Amino acid sequence: MSLRPTAHPLRYSYGTNGLTDLRLDDALSLLADLGYDGVGLTLDHMHLDPLAPDLAARTQKLARRLDELGLGVTIETGARYVLDPRRKHGPSLLDPDPDQRARRADLLVRAVRIATDLGAHAVHCFSGILPKDPAGEAGTEGQAVAAEDAAWKRLAETLTPVLDAATAAGIPLAVEPEPGHLLATLDDFHRLRAALGSPDALGLTLDIGHCQCLEPLSPADCVRAAAPWLRHVQIEDMRRGVHEHLPFGDGEIDFPPVLEALAAVGYQGLVSVELPRHSHAGPQLAQQSLPFLHHVAAVSKPPDADRPPNPGEGPTDSDGRTP
């Protein structure tokens, strides 16, 4: 088992959307045995189904198990077909039908309740893609702008009751910029935050691979820019311009500066490995990913490495020890 680095006090988890071939208890036991600090729990039919009967009892049982294993938890809501067996991630917060949007909002409110019962540090969500014109017509540029503005209005309105629930529960709602979605970038997150009046409950899920994929800043600079709103972090490798979650070492990300930045900004949540299309090799990748992160942290600079010593600090005798 790899040693945990002391210079970077980050806590690592692994997403259950990358362990879908395992029963939930088997997945949790695996992660605890491997030395993970927590789990990114996707609410889905094969693990904790948010729509099945006896949700409260099943959640209480899970809370006890997480406590036994010493695992923290973040609630993820990116299950592909949990609400609609025919539409990936449907219905979304942007659905033209208000009743369908309400179904997504209800799922997120359920997620907040589950997070409260499990002691989760955040609830993750994303906007969804901009709905296509039902007639399949492209329309004019002005119509496209109007459609996008309407989608932003729907997003803010549909998230409002979810944020009310999150505020009452004291659980951050961490919105993830997702390539291809209406809310795709850090700038888009700030647009939503401004539209909602900057509520305290609204935070950010930062996916490090997505930063590499499409943000103008480097992933480490994205961490620093996002720090005041950072409530959840997902991590994997990725290539520029290609939205494909890759195991560590298969992409282009320079990871030491990323972990340095997370430690330097004082991020306290879980850093969750996100490999949703690799469940066929989930146990092996979970086993490989944690030593990789620990190694990267060990070779990274401590958060205060470049800080000059304060008066009175520093070595006071020949062997470098301080009193």
Side-chain angles (χ1 to χ4, degrees), residues 22-44:
L22 276 66
R23 299 178 184 88
L24 179 56
D25 193 66
D26 290 340
L28 298 178
S29 297
L30 171 71
L31 298 181
D33 288 346
L34 291 175
Y36 281 91
D37 302 291
V39 58
L41 176 63
T42 295
L43 302 180
D44 208 349

Side-chain angles (χ1 to χ4, degrees), residues 18 44 46 162 186-187 228:
D44 208 349
M46 77 290 289
V162 183
L186 289 175
D187 285 346

Side-chain angles (χ1 to χ4, degrees), residues 125-151:
C125 70
F126 45 55
S127 69
I129 63 173
L130 184 67
K132 295 180 179 179
D133 187 299
E137 299 176 358
T140 66
E141 182 178 347
Q143 288 171 329
V145 171
E148 184 172 332
D149 287 344

Side-chain angles (χ1 to χ4, degrees), residues 4 9-16 28 31 35-41 66 70-76 118-124 172 174 204-208 230-235 259 262 266-274 290 293:
R4 296 175 183 271
L10 300 175
R11 299 187 300 138
Y12 303 109
S13 64
Y14 199 95
T16 58
L28 298 178
L31 298 181
Y36 281 91
D37 302 291
V39 58
L41 176 63
L66 290 169
L71 293 174
V73 61
T74 307
I75 299 300
E76 304 262 1
L118 295 181
H121 75 80
V123 171
H124 149 277
L204 176 71
T205 293
L206 189 69
D207 187 300
I208 300 303
L230 198 54
R231 302 294 179 266
H232 181 39
V233 172
Q234 298 169 346
I235 194 166
L259 299 193
L262 286 169
Y267 174 67
Q268 298 296 308
L270 292 168
V271 179
S272 192
V273 179
E274 185 80 358
L290 189 59
L293 291 168

